[in-house]
Amino acid sequence: MKKRSVIARPGHRKVYLLGVGKDGIPRWLEKSSWDCDWYWSAGYIETYTHPNHPELAADIASHTHFDYQFLNKQDKCAFDAFKDFFAETPFSDKEIWKIVELMQSIYTAKSYSALLYRGGSWQTEIPEEKPLIKCEEEYRRINDIVVPGLLEEL
Protein backbone atom coordinates (compact mmCIF):
# COMPACT_ATOMS: atom_id res chain seq x y z
CA MET A 1 0.00 0.00 0.00
CA LYS A 2 2.05 2.95 -1.17
CA LYS A 3 -0.85 4.90 -2.65
CA ARG A 4 -1.66 8.08 -0.74
CA SER A 5 -5.35 8.82 -0.56
CA VAL A 6 -7.01 12.15 0.03
CA ILE A 7 -10.78 12.13 -0.25
CA ALA A 8 -13.06 15.14 -0.41
CA ARG A 9 -16.33 14.09 1.20
CA PRO A 10 -19.22 16.11 -0.28
CA GLY A 11 -20.36 18.60 2.35
CA HIS A 12 -17.61 17.52 4.78
CA ARG A 13 -13.92 18.08 5.45
CA LYS A 14 -11.24 16.25 3.47
CA VAL A 15 -9.93 13.01 4.95
CA TYR A 16 -6.50 11.43 4.58
CA LEU A 17 -5.83 7.69 4.66
CA LEU A 18 -3.63 6.70 7.60
CA GLY A 19 -3.77 3.01 6.80
CA VAL A 20 -5.74 -0.19 7.15
CA GLY A 21 -6.00 -1.50 10.69
CA LYS A 22 -5.30 -5.11 11.56
CA ASP A 23 -9.09 -5.50 11.64
CA GLY A 24 -9.14 -4.76 7.87
CA ILE A 25 -10.85 -1.37 8.27
CA PRO A 26 -9.28 1.78 6.76
CA ARG A 27 -8.68 4.67 9.18
CA TRP A 28 -8.92 8.23 7.91
CA LEU A 29 -7.54 11.42 9.50
CA GLU A 30 -9.97 14.30 9.14
CA LYS A 31 -8.58 17.66 8.00
CA SER A 32 -8.17 20.05 10.93
CA SER A 33 -10.13 23.26 11.26
CA TRP A 34 -10.40 26.38 13.40
CA ASP A 35 -13.67 25.95 15.33
CA CYS A 36 -15.96 28.08 17.49
CA ASP A 37 -13.58 30.98 16.92
CA TRP A 38 -11.16 29.87 19.65
CA TYR A 39 -9.61 26.40 19.10
CA TRP A 40 -8.24 23.95 16.56
CA SER A 41 -10.04 20.66 15.99
CA ALA A 42 -7.27 18.27 15.03
CA GLY A 43 -6.42 14.60 15.19
CA TYR A 44 -9.86 13.12 14.48
CA ILE A 45 -9.59 9.56 13.15
CA GLU A 46 -12.68 8.12 11.53
CA THR A 47 -14.05 5.04 9.83
CA TYR A 48 -17.07 5.22 7.56
CA THR A 49 -20.20 3.24 6.75
CA HIS A 50 -18.65 2.72 3.31
CA PRO A 51 -15.13 1.95 4.64
CA ASN A 52 -13.06 2.12 1.46
CA HIS A 53 -14.86 5.10 -0.07
CA PRO A 54 -15.66 7.81 2.52
CA GLU A 55 -17.00 10.03 -0.26
CA LEU A 56 -19.85 7.51 -0.73
CA ALA A 57 -20.50 6.94 2.98
CA ALA A 58 -23.81 7.93 4.49
CA ASP A 59 -22.21 8.44 7.90
CA ILE A 60 -19.22 8.02 10.19
CA ALA A 61 -18.98 4.48 11.63
CA SER A 62 -16.47 5.36 14.37
CA HIS A 63 -14.65 8.41 15.66
CA THR A 64 -11.58 8.59 17.89
CA HIS A 65 -8.60 10.87 18.48
CA PHE A 66 -4.98 10.50 17.36
CA ASP A 67 -3.63 11.18 20.85
CA TYR A 68 -5.87 8.53 22.41
CA GLN A 69 -5.05 5.98 19.72
CA PHE A 70 -1.28 6.50 19.45
CA LEU A 71 0.24 9.16 21.73
CA ASN A 72 -1.13 8.26 25.17
CA LYS A 73 -0.01 4.64 25.40
CA GLN A 74 1.73 3.76 28.66
CA ASP A 75 3.48 0.66 27.34
CA LYS A 76 4.92 1.91 24.02
CA CYS A 77 6.03 4.95 22.10
CA ALA A 78 3.74 6.56 19.51
CA PHE A 79 5.75 5.16 16.59
CA ASP A 80 5.37 1.59 17.89
CA ALA A 81 1.68 2.12 18.69
CA PHE A 82 1.10 3.34 15.10
CA LYS A 83 3.08 0.47 13.55
CA ASP A 84 1.37 -2.13 15.77
CA PHE A 85 -2.11 -0.84 14.96
CA PHE A 86 -1.91 -0.85 11.17
CA ALA A 87 -1.58 -3.90 8.92
CA GLU A 88 -0.88 -1.54 6.01
CA THR A 89 0.01 2.13 5.78
CA PRO A 90 1.15 4.30 2.87
CA PHE A 91 3.90 5.82 5.03
CA SER A 92 7.55 4.92 5.46
CA ASP A 93 9.04 4.60 8.96
CA LYS A 94 10.63 8.04 8.58
CA GLU A 95 7.25 9.52 7.63
CA ILE A 96 5.54 7.82 10.59
CA TRP A 97 8.10 9.34 12.96
CA LYS A 98 7.39 12.75 11.43
CA ILE A 99 3.61 12.25 11.72
CA VAL A 100 3.73 11.30 15.41
CA GLU A 101 6.16 14.16 16.17
CA LEU A 102 3.94 16.70 14.41
CA MET A 103 0.77 15.37 16.04
CA GLN A 104 2.33 15.49 19.52
CA SER A 105 3.49 19.06 18.82
CA ILE A 106 0.00 20.04 17.62
CA TYR A 107 -1.61 18.60 20.77
CA THR A 108 0.95 20.38 22.98
CA ALA A 109 0.33 23.70 21.18
CA LYS A 110 -3.45 23.21 21.48
CA SER A 111 -3.16 22.63 25.25
CA TYR A 112 -0.95 25.69 25.68
CA SER A 113 -3.38 27.73 23.59
CA ALA A 114 -6.32 26.63 25.77
CA LEU A 115 -4.36 27.61 28.90
CA LEU A 116 -3.69 31.06 27.44
CA TYR A 117 -7.32 31.47 26.34
CA ARG A 118 -8.93 30.36 29.61
CA GLY A 119 -6.34 31.81 31.95
CA GLY A 120 -6.03 28.50 33.79
CA SER A 121 -6.09 24.74 33.45
CA TRP A 122 -9.88 24.58 33.81
CA GLN A 123 -9.87 22.52 37.01
CA THR A 124 -11.46 25.38 38.93
CA GLU A 125 -11.78 29.11 38.54
CA ILE A 126 -9.18 31.18 40.31
CA PRO A 127 -9.92 34.71 39.02
CA GLU A 128 -6.89 36.40 40.57
CA GLU A 129 -4.54 34.13 38.59
CA LYS A 130 -6.14 34.65 35.17
CA PRO A 131 -4.24 37.85 34.33
CA LEU A 132 -0.96 36.06 35.05
CA ILE A 133 -1.67 33.32 32.49
CA LYS A 134 -3.85 34.99 29.85
CA CYS A 135 -1.89 36.45 26.96
CA GLU A 136 -3.80 37.44 23.84
CA GLU A 137 -0.62 38.09 21.85
CA GLU A 138 0.83 34.63 22.54
CA TYR A 139 -2.58 32.99 22.05
CA ARG A 140 -2.80 34.58 18.56
CA ARG A 141 0.79 33.55 17.69
CA ILE A 142 0.08 29.92 18.61
CA ASN A 143 -3.22 29.81 16.68
CA ASP A 144 -2.32 32.01 13.71
CA ILE A 145 1.26 30.87 13.09
CA VAL A 146 2.41 27.82 15.08
CA VAL A 147 -0.52 25.40 14.71
CA PRO A 148 -1.20 26.26 11.03
CA GLY A 149 2.52 25.78 10.31
CA LEU A 150 2.53 22.37 11.98
CA LEU A 151 -0.64 21.37 10.13
CA GLU A 152 0.92 22.42 6.84
CA GLU A 153 3.92 20.18 7.56
CA LEU A 154 1.58 17.33 8.44
Side-chain angles (χ1 to χ4, degrees):
M1 170 192 268
K2 278 299 173 191
K3 182 182 168 203
R4 304 272 169 97
S5 294
V6 179
I7 305 290
R9 294 185 66 225
H12 300 278
R13 298 179 192 158
K14 287 181 182 175
V15 292
Y16 305 88
L17 181 64
L18 287 176
V20 176
K22 290 187 176 171
D23 59 4
I25 300 172
R27 299 311 196 281
W28 302 84
L29 180 67
E30 185 179 74
K31 182 177 182 177
S32 301
S33 65
W34 178 248
D35 290 338
C36 300
D37 219 27
W38 77 273
Y39 72 93
W40 284 98
S41 66
Y44 299 157
I45 299 174
E46 297 172 341
T47 66
Y48 296 94
T49 54
H50 198 306
N52 294 311
H53 298 281
E55 71 278 14
L56 303 175
D59 206 352
I60 294 168
S62 73
H63 173 91
T64 191
H65 299 256
F66 195 95
D67 60 340
Y68 174 80
Q69 191 70 52
F70 304 116
L71 302 177
N72 296 341
K73 302 294 181 190
Q74 297 295 320
D75 60 340
K76 58 182 80 174
C77 72
F79 173 85
D80 290 338
F82 192 99
K83 292 280 285 189
D84 290 348
F85 183 82
F86 289 108
E88 297 178 71
T89 182
F91 304 107
S92 69
D93 285 356
K94 184 177 179 181
E95 290 168 324
I96 294 168
W97 276 113
K98 186 173 182 177
I99 290 167
V100 297
E101 172 64 29
L102 288 167
M103 287 304 299
Q104 182 66 64
S105 297
I106 290 165
Y107 277 105
T108 300
K110 283 175 36 126
S111 292
Y112 180 50
S113 170
L115 180 76
L116 295 169
Y117 179 81
R118 295 176 180 142
S121 63
W122 209 249
Q123 299 301 307
T124 186
E125 187 168 340
I126 306 172
E128 64 274 7
E129 292 186 17
K130 284 188 175 186
L132 176 68
I133 298 171
K134 280 193 164 205
C135 181
E136 180 69 24
E137 203 172 272
E138 179 67 351
Y139 170 77
R140 285 280 145 228
R141 185 184 79 79
I142 295 297
N143 291 298
D144 295 345
I145 298 168
V146 176
V147 173
L150 292 169
L151 291 170
E152 182 65 29
E153 280 293 310
L154 185 65

